Amino acid sequence: MVTLDSIKDARKRIAPFLYHSPCAPTETLSHQLDCRAYLKLENLQMTGAFKERGALNRLQQLSDEQKAKGVITASAGNHAQGLAYHAQRLGIKATIAMPEATPQNKVQSVRRFGPDVVLHGKNFDESFEEAAALQQRHGFTFVHPFDDEAVIAGQGTIAVEMLEDVPLLDAIVVPIGGGGLIAGVATAAKALKPEIKIIGVQSRQASAMYSAVGSGHVMPVRPGPTIADGIAVKSPGHLTYPIIRDLVDQIVLVDEEEIAAAVLLLLEREKTLAEGAGACPLAAMMYREELQLQGKHVAMIISGGNIDMTLLSRIIERGMVKDGRMARLRIELFDIPGQLAQTSKILAEQSANVLEVYHNRSFLPASMGKTYLDVTLETRGPEHVEAIIAALEEQGYKTHILSKN
């Protein structure tokens, strides 16, 4: 059973080997969210995520015989890195099963800590089955990513730190995957401060725990594609579910565009890099009015920062489109020399930064003697876009927006 005492014991074990991440106040988000906002920056851990806490607590409780035989897990992300890092530091052999389609950069991030990496299966479930088979064959100890009391207790140390650093907290907002993080946080926080509100957040594309709590029983919910891949879990934990059911006050869902906007806001305003899962608490605070936390002291756990750079670049671009700071216009031109130069002059006068140009004569339904120019622009926002369109149309160039904020 996970208790405040087991969480405090975990903290004594792991504190010398982990970063006490700040629960940092943020004036910018406080103003925007109409509350006193704090960010618990678990993305600053050595491996970039909170998962080290639970993995290390589990490793430190192994018997000498278990240490000698080694440990195994199935993970394509932060748990794999956290377990591999601390197993290497403690001299324990680790084996990590990962899906065959795991991006190579993630595989290399795990391999740098020296474990045996087994690429098996098309998805996490098949990798999990392979890890279980290897455990039976070799006598490894399985370290579950979330459904393990020692792992849950390790994650709960986050709440102990938060309430020591900011005793006035009224609420903690936590991302949910399998539930290990929020189960530990809720256990510790409610024991230390019973009136505190614990709010969980899941992607609408991966809502297994939300469905379990709503229906009253655990059932598999296959996740869809989501940028919050760190919390895309098919089935919530059987240990974590009753803790969450009993102690978590509210669970909300956020959409992909909302998560992307939160990633961008953290990067641009707070200079904090968060992966999709880590940005879910801010997405909930930005877009879920039902939370009703105005005027409260609210901490959001930024659970990790291990985001693929290609995905990050797409998020930045889509965020700029959503904010109106990037726009694509279609300009109708007369098909005569000098038109491209003339439109370029107008755009320059309006201080629009041209990112891409496509001159289309053949594949759009323009009348004979006319053509289309598609331009992608970096702008100051929606009002600037409207001013650019007005300037073009004043010179006789019919223009409309192909992408809107």
Side-chain angles (χ1 to χ4, degrees):
M1 182 177 180
V2 183
T3 65
L4 179 60
D5 286 341
S6 67
I7 291 170
K8 287 183 174 180
D9 288 342
R11 191 184 185 200
K12 291 175 184 176
R13 292 187 198 99
I14 70 178
F17 310 102
L18 286 168
Y19 179 51
H20 182 130
S21 62
C23 192
T26 160
E27 296 296 333
T28 301
L29 295 181
S30 293
H31 178 74
Q32 181 168 336
L33 302 174
D34 192 24
C35 68
R36 187 58 175 155
Y38 302 82
L39 301 176
K40 178 62 170 170
L41 298 173
E42 283 295 288
N43 57 327
L44 299 181
Q45 294 295 345
M46 167 60 193
T47 60
F50 76 96
K51 287 284 191 177
E52 289 182 38
R53 295 174 181 265
L56 177 55
N57 190 45
R58 186 70 180 89
L59 289 171
Q60 288 180 318
Q61 295 181 71
L62 297 175
S63 67
D64 290 340
E65 182 182 357
Q66 289 173 320
K67 290 178 181 177
K69 288 184 177 180
V71 297
I72 190 168
T73 196
S75 172
N78 295 331
H79 178 66
Q81 291 192 61
L83 182 67
Y85 168 59
H86 286 289
Q88 180 190 59
R89 191 180 56 76
L90 294 170
I92 300 170
K93 178 184 176 182
T95 302
I96 313 293
M98 308 178 79
E100 293 172 356
T102 302
Q104 196 59 32
N105 66 315
K106 289 190 175 182
V107 176
Q108 292 303 321
S109 294
V110 173
R111 279 184 168 148
R112 65 187 170 133
F113 299 121
D116 292 335
V117 175
V118 177
L119 297 176
H120 180 88
K122 297 178 182 178
N123 51 47
F124 173 78
D125 295 322
E126 292 182 8
S127 296
F128 192 96
E129 291 173 3
E130 177 67 8
L134 290 171
Q135 176 199 19
Q136 293 296 317
R137 192 179 309 151
H138 299 288
F140 299 142
T141 296
F142 194 91
V143 181
H144 199 283
F146 51 83
D147 217 24
D148 180 295
E149 289 186 355
V151 170
I152 296 169
Q155 321 305 25
T157 61
I158 294 175
V160 177
E161 291 179 4
M162 295 172 77
L163 287 169
E164 283 182 354
D165 295 343
V166 190
L168 292 175
L169 284 181
D170 297 302
I172 302 175
V173 189
V174 191
I176 304 179
L181 174 59
I182 196 169
V185 166
T187 299
K190 289 288 189 178
L192 291 167
K193 190 174 184 178
E195 70 275 19
I196 197 168
K197 191 172 184 181
I198 306 298
I199 298 167
V201 188
Q202 288 201 294
S203 165
R204 197 175 298 277
Q205 294 289 93
S207 57
M209 187 63 77
Y210 178 88
S211 298
V213 172
S215 66
H217 62 276
V218 174
M219 56 185 178
V221 178
R222 184 169 295 279
T226 174
I227 62 173
D229 57 316
I231 53 174
V233 174
K234 180 180 178 181
S235 294
H238 289 279
L239 293 178
T240 61
Y241 164 71
I243 299 173
I244 294 166
R245 178 197 61 203
D246 295 342
L247 297 181
V248 172
D249 296 279
Q250 190 176 6
I251 301 176
V252 297
L253 302 179
V254 289
D255 297 322
E256 296 301 294
E257 290 293 336
E258 294 167 343
I259 300 170
V263 171
L264 182 60
L265 183 64
L266 285 167
L267 185 62
E268 187 171 32
R269 300 286 178 84
E270 296 297 323
K271 308 302 181 282
T272 295
L273 180 61
E275 59 193 77
C280 280
L282 177 57
M285 290 293 293
M286 291 166 64
Y287 297 106
R288 294 295 165 267
E289 295 182 1
E290 64 266 30
L291 296 186
Q292 295 292 307
L293 295 174
Q294 293 82 2
K296 305 294 186 180
H297 288 74
V298 183
M300 295 162 275
I301 298 179
I302 309 302
S303 57
N306 294 319
I307 189 169
D308 179 74
M309 290 298 104
T310 302
L311 174 60
L312 180 62
S313 68
R314 293 202 301 268
I315 287 173
I316 291 171
E317 287 190 357
R318 290 183 68 170
M320 291 182 69
V321 171
K322 186 176 179 65
D323 289 345
R325 289 180 291 162
M326 186 182 294
R328 191 153 59 103
L329 306 182
R330 176 161 290 166
I331 309 168
E332 186 177 298
L333 308 178
F334 291 101
D335 193 9
I336 58 176
Q339 293 290 283
L340 186 58
Q342 180 63 27
T343 53
S344 296
K345 180 174 181 292
I346 296 170
L347 294 174
E349 290 172 348
Q350 293 298 314
S351 300
N353 186 27
V354 178
L355 301 177
E356 188 176 64
V357 175
Y358 179 59
H359 195 193
N360 195 335
R361 277 190 174 87
S362 305
F363 297 100
L364 288 171
S367 59
M368 295 300 293
K370 291 191 176 182
T371 185
Y372 290 112
L373 181 69
D374 292 350
V375 291
T376 303
L377 304 173
E378 185 179 4
T379 73
R380 294 189 296 272
E383 292 181 359
H384 189 198
V385 174
E386 294 301 325
I388 293 166
I389 292 173
L392 287 163
E393 293 192 339
E394 185 178 343
Q395 297 298 317
Y397 297 107
K398 187 177 179 181
T399 305
H400 68 272
I401 302 174
L402 294 178
S403 60
K404 294 185 179 182
N405 61 311

